[in-house]
């Protein structure tokens, strides 16, 4: 992998750029209650950063509902509709995220959005984020395996036309950070809902407020 110089930044969406994990909290909690079970904090935490299918499997199992294709598809349709309605009411930004997007653009770097959220919801979120900040987008239903598998970040780098090692990934969850790291990206970790244990290749920062070009370069250089 080429580590000659930083060429791109690949951004996670939920919990990193947008404070949308709280929206997913509402929807997944309601879905679990529809199944007859109050969602535990432990199970909800385990779903953070997951693909739709992985999150649904955990919620169904927690509710002692058989994990079948039928139940998974029903859950996907319900959650997509509910989150879409909540997104339409407005999605709050994570602190400093909008300035960080503008900063990376000013640095002249290629940029991409790499998320486990599916295309229909991402298109709604892009109305808030601004499509002009991203050269490419990769969504959870456009890869064979979602995060924590490296496939989303490998696809993002490939669409930008650069090696994954020449990209800095910005993530908030253990799941997403592992995905990026396994793909070969240095990771700037800005935890939101849960802590991300330090690891080689991770630069952990409290948040995106006050992020500078030097911070971005140092995080990539490790």
């Amino acid at each position: 992998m080429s580590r000659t110089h930083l060429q791109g930044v690949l951004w996670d969406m939920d919990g990193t750029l947008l404070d949308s994990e709280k929206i997913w909290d509402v929807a997944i909690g309601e879905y679990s209650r529809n199944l007859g079970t109050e969602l535990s904090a432990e199970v909800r935490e385990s779903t953070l950063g997951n693909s739709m299918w992985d999150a649904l499997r955990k919620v169904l199992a927690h509710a002692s509902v058989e994990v079948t294709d039928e139940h998974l598809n029903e859950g996907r349709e319900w959650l997509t509709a509910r989150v879409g309605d909540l997104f339409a009411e407005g999605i709050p930004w994570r602190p400093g995220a909008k300035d960080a997007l503008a900063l990376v653009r000013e640095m002249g770097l290629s940029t991409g959005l790499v998320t486990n959220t599916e295309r229909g919801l991402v298109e709604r979120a892009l109305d808030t984020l601004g499509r002009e900040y991203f050269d490419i987008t990769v969504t959870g239903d456009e890869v064979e395996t979602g995060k924590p598998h490296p496939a989303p970040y490998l696809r993002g780098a490939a669409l930008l036309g650069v090696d994954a090692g020449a990209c800095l990934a910005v993530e908030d969850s253990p799941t997403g950070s592992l995905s990026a790291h396994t793909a070969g990206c240095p990771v700037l970790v800005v935890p939101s809902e849960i802590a991300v244990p330090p690891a080689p290749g991770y630069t952990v920062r409290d948040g995106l407020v006050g992020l500078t070009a030097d911070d971005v370069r140092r995080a990539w250089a490790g």
Side-chain angles (χ1 to χ4, degrees):
M1 295 181 189
S2 172
R3 287 296 304 273
T4 56
H5 65 283
L6 173 62
Q7 295 177 273
V9 174
L10 297 172
W11 299 94
D12 173 54
M13 185 177 79
D14 296 295
T16 299
L17 292 174
L18 297 177
D19 204 10
S20 42
E21 290 294 2
K22 293 178 176 61
I23 293 175
W24 284 96
D25 284 346
V26 172
I28 293 177
E30 290 177 355
Y31 174 66
S32 184
R33 286 190 287 277
N34 289 345
L35 297 175
T37 302
E38 192 69 32
L39 189 67
S40 71
E42 182 181 10
V43 173
R44 170 55 184 143
E45 183 175 299
S46 77
T47 69
L48 288 169
N50 286 201
S51 69
M52 175 73 80
W53 301 119
D54 287 344
L56 282 168
R57 288 186 185 98
K58 292 174 181 178
V59 176
L60 288 167
H62 178 65
S64 299
V65 175
E66 187 178 2
V67 181
T68 63
D69 287 346
E70 180 181 3
H71 289 149
L72 286 169
N73 286 320
E74 287 174 352
R76 175 182 175 273
E77 288 181 12
W78 193 93
L79 276 178
T80 299
R82 182 66 178 124
V83 174
D85 288 344
L86 292 169
F87 273 15
E89 295 174 10
I91 315 170
W93 285 88
R94 290 290 298 162
K98 194 167 187 178
D99 289 341
L101 284 175
L103 167 72
V104 168
R105 275 309 206 198
E106 289 164 7
M107 292 174 68
L109 298 170
S110 299
T111 55
L113 186 70
V114 179
T115 174
N116 264 345
T117 299
E118 296 186 355
R119 173 60 64 183
L121 291 173
V122 171
E123 287 300 319
R124 293 193 182 207
L126 283 168
D127 291 337
T128 296
L129 288 168
R131 288 169 174 78
E132 68 275 13
Y133 288 114
F134 308 101
D135 297 308
I136 60 95
T137 56
V138 177
T139 65
D141 49 338
E142 295 172 347
V143 290
E144 187 173 342
T145 310
K147 304 174 188 179
H149 194 275
Y153 278 99
L154 290 172
R155 177 174 172 80
L159 288 174
L160 287 181
V162 301
D163 289 333
C167 295
L168 176 68
V170 188
E171 274 283 355
D172 74 302
S173 71
T175 300
S177 298
L178 179 60
S179 171
H181 176 69
T182 308
C185 303
V187 189
L188 175 60
V189 183
V190 285
S192 59
E193 300 296 318
I194 56 175
V196 178
Y202 291 9
T203 298
V204 181
R205 182 183 168 91
D206 287 343
L208 292 172
V209 173
L211 187 73
T212 67
D214 283 344
D215 293 331
V216 171
R217 295 187 191 100
R218 279 196 295 266
W220 175 77

